[in-house]
Amino acid sequence: MNTTELISLLAIAVAAAAPIVIAAIGETITERVGVINLSADGVILLAGLGGFVAAQTTKNVWIGFVAAAIVGSLVALVVAFGAITLKQSQTAIGFVLALLCTDLSSFLGAPFVLTDAPRVPSWPLPLLSDIPYLGPILFHADAVVYFTYLLIGVSWFYFYKTRPGLLLRSVGEQPSAAFARGVPVIATRYLYTIVGGALVGIAGAAFTLDIKAGWTFRHVAGYGWIALSLVIFGGWNPLKVALGAYLFGITQSLLGKAQSVVTLIPSQVFPILPFVFMILVLMVSSGDLVDRMARLFPLGVRRALLRTLRATPPNSLGKPFEQD
Amino acid sequence: MKLNRSVQVTQLVSLLIAAVLIVLVILPTGQSPVTVIGTMIDGAFGSWDLVARALTTLAPVLLCAAGLAFTFSSGLYNLGVEGQVLAGAIATTALVRALFPDGGQAAVSPALIMALGIVAGMLGGLLWGLLAGLLHVYGRISEIFAGLGLNFVAQGLAIFLIFGPWKRAGVASMSGTALFDESVWLPVLGITELSPVALVLAGVALIVALIVLRNTYFGLRLRAVGHSLRSSFILGIPATQHLLSAFAICGAFAGLAGATQALAIFHRLIPGISSNLGYLGLLVAMLANYNPIWLLPIAAFFSVLNIGALKLPSELKVESSLAGVIQGLLVLAVLLSRGVSKRAK
């Protein structure tokens, strides 16, 4: 593989990972505040459809993104109401919504299959795109891809360097302590569940209006589950979550290349391999295995290793808050 | 008594809201909701053949739902049920191909091959279920992601087999492996796809689930584990064993569904052999809410919806995924109404 090929491969990987980064960071925000929203796989499809239809009707691609964000936040509102106010099983509600939104997207999307809608225009950034190597990989893309860079940075900064971010995390870790300090736990949870849902919705439009532009039945099914597993893989830290998404993108485009070279494995297996690979990585990173591997190393290294590799979920994740 | 009344009212109101939403979803298609529902009823009950088709769907849904009643009782969401159905079908196909090679001679009597094929399916599903359980219990991975991950792995394995070692002579395609010899097709009623064996097996699975969960010490302990893993462990219940058995039983039932799908309906391995019936079983089990008595009526209703909706595309040019929309909205409405009545207390 020569340099030009490598650059194009990485550029494709960075673009292909964009919707997954957006969805995974959206879910990270939701889970950091203590709520699991399992509906992502269906919401990406339904919001993707909503965005596609809105963009087609108004002939404006950005209105498509707004519509997708609204669809995503409405579904998240249902999750929030069921999980926070009614204190029902978040797994049950999220999973039912994942199936329901998938079927809804097939049902309502039937008339729009293989129709045309505006696409996000390509927009190489002046100056930045001229940087050797990095320019073509990172800055020869479009607004959606640049939005992901911004999102990664802003969400990390917000989580760890601002006071509202601290409050967000405290609600996820110790809701009763946060409440005692005067943080409105219920309202905070509603807010960030909806924000997270809106981002998952935007990820749907990023697929249908940009990365996999167009609409067919269930054409981006499966990516929602990948995004959810990346949140665990990344240990609920936006930087590591995004890193996981890019690894997934690179795996995907490498396998796309390998498809024509490797003859031992039938080519039809390749599209499913990144999913298998990602889940296997997740199984290793979230389980006991890391602990066992770490024991092979001396104490000082071990601690650093565990801190990088091991993921500890927010303490109150999935548990309803009982306000006295 | 007064409390019960309010629970009923809440459920009724939430189902009404679901009904209104269903109507709202149908409206954009330009068809009147009455016509659509009428076509669905006709599509499910219009002839004996159609009733037989609904019963054909009922068997695997019931098998999965009965298995899931075990994992639900132990407090687990076994989303791996789809992969367990597929693993069962893969194991069945492997056995049939081993004892009755493509274009060769049967090694033993066809009846024995079918019986062994069913056992192999159960074992395949059981292993896949147990694997999810082991990852959950010993790997400390959320059972949701362990199950989902194994679904993808099973899917990859099936496609690999269909396009690799088990590819059909000449063309390999998504339509699956070569057909089994006709002598090892599970008998069906007339020209329908309804296999009495599959239906009887589903009935047995349901009765087993009912008796074990409600009337045995094992069932009681399983529910205790589901209520509180920690306290049941402290009280001396081998919680790990109970969790793993729940996964194994659920996997075996799902694998059985995969075996009958392969032997009675498709007569081969296809990638989409479970065609979301496992997830449908999950919705059924969720709606039944730990009460196995409800599994049969809900599974029957959902199967009727699935079959009735198949008539929509040809008659009204309406997508058949309406069945899934209705099922999802109903389950969501019931889940939320449970929360509302709990809050009212």
Side-chain angles (χ1 to χ4, degrees), chain B residues 63 84-85 87-96 99 110-126 180 184-187 195-202 204 251-265:
Chain B
L63 276 167
Q84 288 147 21
V85 174
I90 291 174
T92 303
T93 310
L95 184 115
V96 172
L99 292 182
L112 187 59
I113 295 181
M114 282 189 273
L116 289 175
I118 289 176
V119 174
M122 281 186 85
L123 285 177
L126 185 145
F180 301 156
V184 294
W185 294 9
L186 269 186
S195 151
V197 176
L199 206 55
V200 167
L201 286 173
V204 171
F253 283 10
L256 195 53
T260 56
Q261 290 290 94
L263 287 169
I265 296 172

Side-chain angles (χ1 to χ4, degrees), chain A residues 38-115:
Chain A
L38 273 188
S39 65
D41 201 56
V43 171
I44 286 181
L45 281 166
L46 188 63
L49 172 71
F52 186 82
V53 173
Q56 191 183 58
T57 325
T58 58
K59 307 252 183 304
N60 182 329
V61 71
W62 308 116
I63 293 181
F65 279 88
V66 173
I70 293 172
V71 173
S73 21
L74 285 178
V75 178
L77 184 64
V78 177
V79 174
F81 179 65
I84 302 166
T85 306
L86 299 181
K87 304 188 177 91
Q88 289 299 288
S89 158
Q90 304 183 2
T91 313
I93 291 174
F95 181 71
V96 171
L97 279 169
L99 294 187
L100 174 61
C101 292
T102 304
D103 279 323
L104 259 180
S105 80
S106 297
F107 183 71
L108 297 173
F112 300 94
V113 170
L114 300 178
T115 57

Side-chain angles (χ1 to χ4, degrees), chain B residues 2 79 95 149 164 188 201 214-215 244 264 266 284 327 334 343:
Chain B
K2 200 180 161 204
L79 297 198
L95 184 115
V188 288
L201 286 173
R214 308 186 81 181
N215 300 323
L244 289 179
F266 296 105
V284 171
Q327 290 153 354
V334 171
R343 218 173 127 83

Side-chain angles (χ1 to χ4, degrees), chain A residues 248-270:
Chain A
F248 178 77
I250 290 170
T251 318
Q252 223 179 359
S253 52
L254 270 179
L255 285 171
K257 273 254 186 282
Q259 198 168 343
S260 50
V261 187
V262 184
T263 47
L264 195 68
I265 302 172
S267 62
Q268 290 82 0
V269 179
F270 278 92

Side-chain angles (χ1 to χ4, degrees), chain A residues 82 85-86 88-89 91-92 95-96 100 103 106-107 110 225 228-229 232 266 268-269 272 279 283 286-288 291, chain B residues 25 77 135 138-141 144-145 148-149 155-156 160 163 279 282 286 318-319 321-322 324-325 328 335-336 339 343:
Chain A
T85 306
L86 299 181
Q88 289 299 288
S89 158
T91 313
F95 181 71
V96 171
L100 174 61
D103 279 323
S106 297
F107 183 71
W225 298 119
L228 290 188
S229 59
I232 303 174
Q268 290 82 0
V269 179
I272 212 160
I279 297 285
M283 286 178 175
S286 71
D288 255 354
D291 288 15
Chain B
V25 167
Y77 280 85
L135 283 169
Y138 292 108
R140 287 191 306 191
I141 299 168
I144 294 167
F145 287 96
L148 276 171
Q155 191 72 32
F160 171 72
F163 285 92
Y279 286 153
L282 215 103
M286 259 185 219
V318 170
E319 257 298 295
S321 45
L322 181 63
V325 175
L335 281 178
L336 294 181
R343 218 173 127 83

Side-chain angles (χ1 to χ4, degrees), chain B residues 40-304:
Chain B
M40 284 181 81
I41 293 173
D42 194 41
F45 298 108
S47 70
W48 285 111
D49 276 4
L50 292 170
V51 176
R53 279 173 82 177
L55 288 173
T56 309
T57 310
L58 174 64
V61 173
L62 204 52
L63 276 167
C64 293
L68 287 160
F70 284 88
T71 42
F72 266 112
S73 293
S74 62
L76 296 163
Y77 280 85
N78 180 14
L79 297 198
V81 62
E82 281 286 311
Q84 288 147 21
V85 174
L86 191 52
I90 291 174
T92 303
T93 310
L95 184 115
V96 172
R97 290 179 65 91
L99 292 182
F100 203 147
D102 226 1
Q105 287 295 313
V108 289
S109 80
L112 187 59
I113 295 181
M114 282 189 273
L116 289 175
I118 289 176
V119 174
M122 281 186 85
L123 285 177
L126 185 145
L127 279 178
W128 214 248
L130 202 55
L131 193 55
L134 289 171
L135 283 169
H136 174 61
V137 172
Y138 292 108
R140 287 191 306 191
I141 299 168
S142 136
E143 82 274 13
I144 294 167
F145 287 96
L148 276 171
L150 288 173
N151 289 351
F152 282 119
V153 176
Q155 191 72 32
L157 181 63
I159 292 177
F160 171 72
L161 289 169
I162 288 168
F163 285 92
W166 294 353
K167 81 168 162 250
R168 209 155 27 138
V171 278
S173 79
M174 283 308 247
S175 62
T177 58
L179 286 180
F180 301 156
D181 188 88
E182 216 166 314
S183 62
V184 294
W185 294 9
L186 269 186
V188 288
L189 280 184
I191 55 156
T192 66
E193 287 178 332
L194 176 60
S195 151
V197 176
L199 206 55
V200 167
L201 286 173
V204 171
L206 179 67
I207 293 167
V208 167
L210 268 174
I211 293 177
V212 171
L213 289 176
R214 308 186 81 181
N215 300 323
T216 67
Y217 192 41
F218 173 77
L220 181 68
R221 291 200 291 193
L222 205 57
R223 290 209 305 272
V225 171
H227 274 295
S228 170
L229 191 63
R230 207 176 144 66
S231 39
S232 56
F233 178 73
I234 291 169
L235 285 171
I237 298 174
T240 309
Q241 283 172 26
H242 279 74
L243 289 181
L244 289 179
S245 341
F247 270 111
I249 295 170
C250 182
F253 283 10
L256 195 53
T260 56
Q261 290 290 94
L263 287 169
I265 296 172
F266 296 105
H267 312 300
R268 63 182 189 278
L269 179 66
I270 59 169
I273 202 154
S274 69
S275 50
N276 272 2
L277 293 178
Y279 286 153
L280 194 58
L282 215 103
L283 289 186
V284 171
M286 259 185 219
L287 207 51
N289 195 25
Y290 310 114
N291 195 348
I293 285 282
W294 284 98
L295 290 178
L296 181 61
I298 298 168
F301 177 52
F302 278 14
S303 308
V304 162

